[in-house]
Amino acid sequence: MSSRTDRRPDPEELLRRVQADERRERRGRLKVFLGYASRVGKSFRMFDEGRRRKERGQDVVVGALQSDITPEIRDIVCRFDIVPTISEQYAGRAYQTMDLSGIFRRHPEVCLIDGLAYDNPPGSRNPQRWQDVEELLRRGIAVITAVNIQHIREQQDAVERITGKRSPYSVPEDFLREAEEIEVVDAPPEALLGRTPGSADQSGVSSMPDSRRLAELRELALLLAADVVERQLQEYLDAHGVAARWGAQERILVCLTPRSNAGDMLRSGQRNALRFHGALLAVYVEQSGLSAEDQARLESHMALARELGAEVQCLKGDDFVQTILDFAREQRVTQLFIGHSLGDQRFRLSRSAVDRLIDAGEGFDIRLFPHVGAK
Amino acid sequence: MSQARKGRLKVYLGYAAGVGKTYRMLEEAQELRQKGVDIVIGYFEPHGRKETIVKTEGLETIPRRVLSYAGTQFEEMDTDAILRRKPAVAIVDEFAHTNVPGSERAKRWQDVHALLDAGIDVLTTMNVQHLESLNDQVWNATGVRVRETIPDWVVDEADEVVFVDLTPRALRNRLERGVVYSQEKAQRAMENFFTETNLTALREMAMRHTAHEVEERLEPGPALPPSSRKERILICLTSSPASAVLIRRGKRVADYLQADCLAIHVATTADGSEAVERHMSFARNLRIETNVIQSADVAGTIAGFARSRGVTQIYMGRSQPPPWWNRFAETIVQQVVRQARDMQITIVSERRR
């Protein structure tokens, strides 16, 4: 049967992991505060964490500051050593570049960097500031920094759809994903719009469009963080040989057959996946001897699945039910969609595929879908 | 006359003790006090955490009420005293708390509703594992069956839900330093519930749930996926203990799909079972409309009821296997599947660890 469930890594993979672990050990730890808008309090939380670490005896310096800082942040920042940024003029524009060699000479334990999304002037050692941070980490300096969702490169299309604006500065999402820690800085949009609970003004949110846009950005940031956390958890479980668990994310698997009502199943699957911010998978278990007509139907089902954003896979296996069960378990599926037609029994005494799936399906729901044009 | 305005409810949502929910709430309380808002502490649980206790300085505290139960003294929030004092805002820690028997209301969230009804704004704290709909998922991920739960609609009705984050590593550091619990208790906690994987799983649930709460508060707009017709989910209840999982699961899916949710129990005899009554009352607490129909034909009644009410999806638990002397008999699930082939039928399996 399939060797998919065998989780023992091969020696090459083990070696790669050991080397990665060693690199990690020498590397400084990266912690990122993620916020959904400016003024949500990312910088304050970052400097506050720096303050607490300093109070616990760690050697903390500031490597970069933003130009406009609030009085509360100024109060904290004055407690740290600051390695000042270098002011440069290029093509009539003023730049503030991090003084990397200055920080290396000082070699602190922890470096605080505000304003992570920043382009250095042409001709600098690194084009962008996050690459400067990479260098600090490689030299074994821990970094605490803060970033706004609008600067995460892979999220910029989504942000632009919400706000109609796109920042020229960006940080790759992988930078975030590889951080040892990411912490979400959440606050209700009302705080950013200057409303206070308990105040006499109950006239409603000051400006609806702003409040809606902020709420959508907030959701985007929370879901990105959840996704980062989920993957880290899975990697950890895989690395420790812990069997996959029923995760926090809904994962919907649509089982396609030539005669199934794929349109309804896939559209419903897509709606569920979107509403839950979950994953949509579609599989087909290979069968021999399909008629040309069935083959054509199946291909159109698979095309529709791809169009609706499903991850489509073709599985091989002698036993239809067992193949589906193995795949569902491995993929941590929470909902399995399948056609009623598989409940058809040629003989009363044999158990149908649906019956067997229901009996053996542990940890996920099975949803049966009617035929096309069922009464 | 001025009774019309209900108070606003704001929930600080975390994923474990020690992430800083109460601290964040008190920070906001201090800001409000400085702005001149009339704010009091209705209930605060210090847990001996110094940094948090400092944040209560200068805030007026309404003394707790002392109750005796089974020969022991318990302290509870004095809801009546807060109502008499009638501040603009009240701080109420531990939203999921269950009051000692003999209290006027069984749950703290019900006390909070009394304050809101009187026009008092409330700031409160809770952990994601106290949400009813996540009970099975939490158990699956952590092995812990949380007993004190809050129906989801109570949190859905809050005006704001704010996620209070801290990384599991930072939380475990706090535990090690003895900030959250005493050293000895912290050590046990870290070996049991506060493991890196448990905390990570709970944290992800809290993030996803806050995202869901944010989305629920959005006006319907282009960001929401298209839906053809309104879905209606029917949950089939029995006396089986698995009914609780079925109710939570069906309701959770209904909430996410913004579908109506009904429940039915088909009684084959006239005398009702206590277990069924418990499941029905559990469903009603989650705001599910419940129906009991007496009939010998369970499957036919379910299919007929579903059709008459325009149900799009039937939720059922797995049937018991038929007895050995009749092992080729159809189970209820098989009968419903055969009789309702025009409907979507979802069979929920019990979650195991």
Side-chain angles (χ1 to χ4, degrees), chain A residues 127-188:
Chain A
Q128 295 179 318
R129 187 170 283 172
W130 65 268
Q131 295 162 313
D132 291 341
V133 171
E134 284 286 339
E135 277 203 55
L136 296 178
L137 297 169
R138 280 201 297 274
R139 297 271 189 126
I141 298 170
V143 172
I144 311 177
T145 185
V147 70
N148 186 326
I149 183 98
Q150 63 163 328
H151 292 134
I152 304 295
R153 192 170 298 157
E154 287 76 358
Q155 301 290 326
Q156 286 187 317
D157 286 343
V159 170
E160 192 174 356
R161 274 196 295 277
I162 296 169
T163 63
K165 283 183 247 162
R166 193 185 192 96
S167 166
Y169 304 109
S170 68
V171 176
E173 197 170 290
D174 275 347
F175 180 83
L176 198 69
R177 290 189 179 277
E178 275 156 29
E180 277 75 17
E181 292 179 86
I182 141 172
E183 190 167 312
V184 173
V185 183
D186 190 38

Side-chain angles (χ1 to χ4, degrees), chain A residues 60-163:
Chain A
V60 184
V61 306
V62 175
L65 269 175
Q66 282 185 302
S67 46
D68 51 335
I69 54 173
T70 63
E72 296 91 52
I73 291 178
R74 197 169 305 129
D75 283 350
I76 305 182
V77 166
C78 63
R79 306 168 194 219
F80 299 114
D81 275 359
I82 298 178
V83 179
T85 47
I86 300 166
S87 297
E88 286 176 78
Q89 289 284 329
Y90 187 89
R93 235 196 90 185
Y95 286 89
Q96 300 291 327
T97 315
M98 261 169 56
D99 182 5
L100 276 186
S101 19
I103 299 173
F104 292 152
R105 272 198 305 278
R106 174 69 177 68
H107 207 91
E109 279 177 90
V110 184
C111 186
L112 307 179
I113 290 158
D114 202 9
L116 178 66
Y118 191 79
D119 289 355
N120 294 328
S124 303
R125 186 173 169 134
N126 296 307
Q128 295 179 318
R129 187 170 283 172
W130 65 268
Q131 295 162 313
D132 291 341
V133 171
E134 284 286 339
E135 277 203 55
L136 296 178
L137 297 169
R138 280 201 297 274
R139 297 271 189 126
I141 298 170
V143 172
I144 311 177
T145 185
V147 70
N148 186 326
I149 183 98
Q150 63 163 328
H151 292 134
I152 304 295
R153 192 170 298 157
E154 287 76 358
Q155 301 290 326
Q156 286 187 317
D157 286 343
V159 170
E160 192 174 356
R161 274 196 295 277
I162 296 169
T163 63

Side-chain angles (χ1 to χ4, degrees), chain A residues 326-362:
Chain A
D326 287 346
F327 183 78
R329 204 160 292 144
E330 178 194 302
Q331 291 289 323
R332 293 169 288 116
V333 162
T334 60
Q335 299 183 43
L336 186 98
F337 287 13
I338 171 175
H340 267 300
S341 56
L342 289 167
D344 287 341
Q345 285 160 287
R346 247 166 267 171
F347 311 101
R348 264 311 275 127
L349 300 186
S350 75
R351 293 164 72 246
S352 72
V354 165
D355 290 343
R356 286 179 56 211
L357 274 172
I358 291 172
D359 285 350
E362 205 121 272

Side-chain angles (χ1 to χ4, degrees), chain B residues 229-293:
Chain B
R229 64 172 165 151
K230 177 108 176 151
E231 298 235 27
R232 180 168 287 183
I233 288 176
L234 175 66
I235 302 172
C236 303
L237 298 184
T238 64
S239 60
S240 156
S243 286
V245 174
L246 188 63
I247 293 167
R248 282 192 283 263
R249 187 70 185 150
K251 180 64 173 146
R252 180 169 154 82
V253 171
D255 282 352
Y256 270 76
L257 297 180
Q258 295 175 335
D260 295 334
C261 193
L262 319 169
I264 185 175
H265 170 66
V266 181
T268 46
T269 56
D271 41 307
S273 111
E274 193 198 321
V276 168
E277 194 34 59
R278 214 171 43 241
H279 295 148
M280 295 302 242
S281 121
F282 176 52
R284 281 191 295 272
N285 280 334
L286 302 185
R287 295 200 168 162
I288 297 169
E289 178 202 311
T290 57
N291 302 268
V292 181
I293 297 177

Side-chain angles (χ1 to χ4, degrees), chain A residues 4 251 253-256 280-286 298 302 305-306 310-316 323-324 327 330-331:
Chain A
R4 249 188 239 278
R251 296 175 65 82
L253 174 64
V254 177
C255 300
L256 299 172
L280 181 62
L281 313 165
V283 291
Y284 158 67
V285 181
E286 259 184 19
L298 189 68
M302 313 249 276
R306 283 191 198 95
E311 200 181 293
V312 183
Q313 285 203 40
C314 190
L315 304 179
K316 288 191 177 62
T323 308
I324 299 269
F327 183 78
E330 178 194 302
Q331 291 289 323

Side-chain angles (χ1 to χ4, degrees), chain A residues 239-256:
Chain A
H240 291 76
V242 182
R245 281 185 190 165
W246 191 30
Q249 190 196 30
E250 288 288 331
R251 296 175 65 82
I252 295 151
L253 174 64
V254 177
C255 300
L256 299 172

Side-chain angles (χ1 to χ4, degrees), chain B residues 96-310:
Chain B
H97 173 78
T98 302
N99 292 330
V100 65
S103 304
E104 192 175 343
R105 301 173 193 85
K107 299 282 184 178
R108 180 157 301 150
W109 64 261
Q110 294 168 321
D111 285 324
V112 165
H113 277 190
L115 300 179
L116 296 172
D117 287 341
I120 299 170
D121 290 351
V122 175
L123 309 184
T124 191
T125 58
M126 69 179 282
N127 284 324
V128 72
Q129 50 269 41
H130 293 296
L131 274 169
E132 186 64 58
S133 69
L134 291 174
N135 197 267
D136 302 305
Q137 237 171 305
V138 167
W139 170 72
N140 184 269
T142 67
V144 173
R145 187 56 89 180
V146 177
R147 301 286 166 200
E148 285 189 331
T149 57
I150 295 188
D152 287 50
W153 63 265
V154 174
V155 180
D156 291 344
E157 282 183 1
D159 297 273
E160 275 297 349
V161 177
V162 183
F163 173 53
V164 181
D165 196 17
L166 184 75
T167 63
R169 181 186 149 91
L171 177 55
R172 284 171 57 88
N173 281 344
R174 275 189 192 182
L175 278 162
E176 267 172 13
R177 293 201 307 274
V179 179
V180 181
Y181 298 128
S182 65
Q183 294 284 2
E184 187 205 351
K185 193 177 171 197
Q187 200 50 46
R188 258 181 295 133
M190 284 178 56
E191 279 158 22
N192 298 309
F193 187 68
F194 285 73
T195 61
E196 186 111 14
T197 48
N198 280 359
L199 293 175
T200 307
L202 292 170
R203 183 176 178 225
E204 187 192 341
M205 282 180 216
M207 287 171 171
R208 289 192 184 280
H209 191 81
T210 313
H212 173 65
E213 295 288 347
V214 170
E215 185 166 320
E216 286 294 291
R217 283 161 186 75
L218 288 176
E219 303 279 310
L224 295 181
S227 73
S228 41
R229 64 172 165 151
K230 177 108 176 151
E231 298 235 27
R232 180 168 287 183
I233 288 176
L234 175 66
I235 302 172
C236 303
L237 298 184
T238 64
S239 60
S240 156
S243 286
V245 174
L246 188 63
I247 293 167
R248 282 192 283 263
R249 187 70 185 150
K251 180 64 173 146
R252 180 169 154 82
V253 171
D255 282 352
Y256 270 76
L257 297 180
Q258 295 175 335
D260 295 334
C261 193
L262 319 169
I264 185 175
H265 170 66
V266 181
T268 46
T269 56
D271 41 307
S273 111
E274 193 198 321
V276 168
E277 194 34 59
R278 214 171 43 241
H279 295 148
M280 295 302 242
S281 121
F282 176 52
R284 281 191 295 272
N285 280 334
L286 302 185
R287 295 200 168 162
I288 297 169
E289 178 202 311
T290 57
N291 302 268
V292 181
I293 297 177
Q294 199 187 324
S295 164
D297 175 13
V298 176
T301 307
I302 290 172
F305 180 84
R307 251 175 229 122
S308 74
R309 294 293 300 269

